[in-house]
């Protein structure tokens, strides 16, 4: 998430039962029942490694939920569209 989104979660969002942090995908700490990745895994430099790390952070019976529009055929991973942070200039 962006710094703006992180600040919004911490200061504006009503009470909630989830946490958000500005860290590398591979630097999560703690144990979780569910890990949600929404439009984020595509930006990991190593999907397999990230999923392995996440799976080790799950409680027994835990679940990783990935919601991502992975890059379509014939779209380069290095184009501006796929590297954008979503912030308008």
């Amino acid at each position: 998430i962006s710094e703006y989104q992180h600040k919004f979660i911490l200061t504006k969002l009503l009470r909630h039962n989830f946490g958000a942090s500005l860290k590398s995908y591979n630097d999560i700490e703690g144990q979780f029942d569910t890990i949600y990745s929404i439009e984020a895994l595509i930006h990991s430099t190593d999907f397999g490694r990230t999923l392995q790390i996440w799976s080790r952070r799950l409680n027994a019976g835990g679940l990783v939920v990935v919601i991502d529009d992975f890059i379509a055929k014939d779209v380069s991973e290095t184009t501006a569209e796929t590297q954008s942070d979503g912030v308008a200039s």
Side-chain angles (χ1 to χ4, degrees):
I1 62 175
S2 69
E3 288 183 29
Y4 173 83
Q5 292 165 324
H6 187 246
K7 183 177 179 182
F8 177 85
I9 290 168
L10 296 177
T11 62
K12 306 283 186 194
L13 200 60
L14 298 175
R15 295 183 79 191
H16 50 275
N17 292 324
F18 63 88
S21 59
L22 293 173
K23 292 185 175 188
S24 165
Y25 303 112
N26 298 331
D27 291 337
I28 63 172
E29 299 169 352
Q31 293 297 124
F32 304 93
D33 294 322
T34 307
I35 296 174
Y36 289 94
S37 172
I38 302 172
E39 300 297 334
L41 185 61
I42 189 72
H43 301 288
S44 170
T45 56
D46 186 338
F47 295 169
R49 180 170 182 257
T50 297
L51 290 172
Q52 287 175 346
I53 290 168
W54 290 357
S55 68
R56 289 193 298 265
R57 293 297 182 182
L58 291 173
N59 292 322
L63 183 67
V64 172
V65 177
V66 175
I67 302 169
D68 248 340
D69 290 331
F70 285 91
I71 297 173
K73 183 179 178 186
D74 299 322
V75 176
S76 170
E77 293 181 14
T78 59
T79 64
E81 296 83 30
T82 59
Q83 297 297 313
S84 171
D85 62 3
V87 177
S89 308

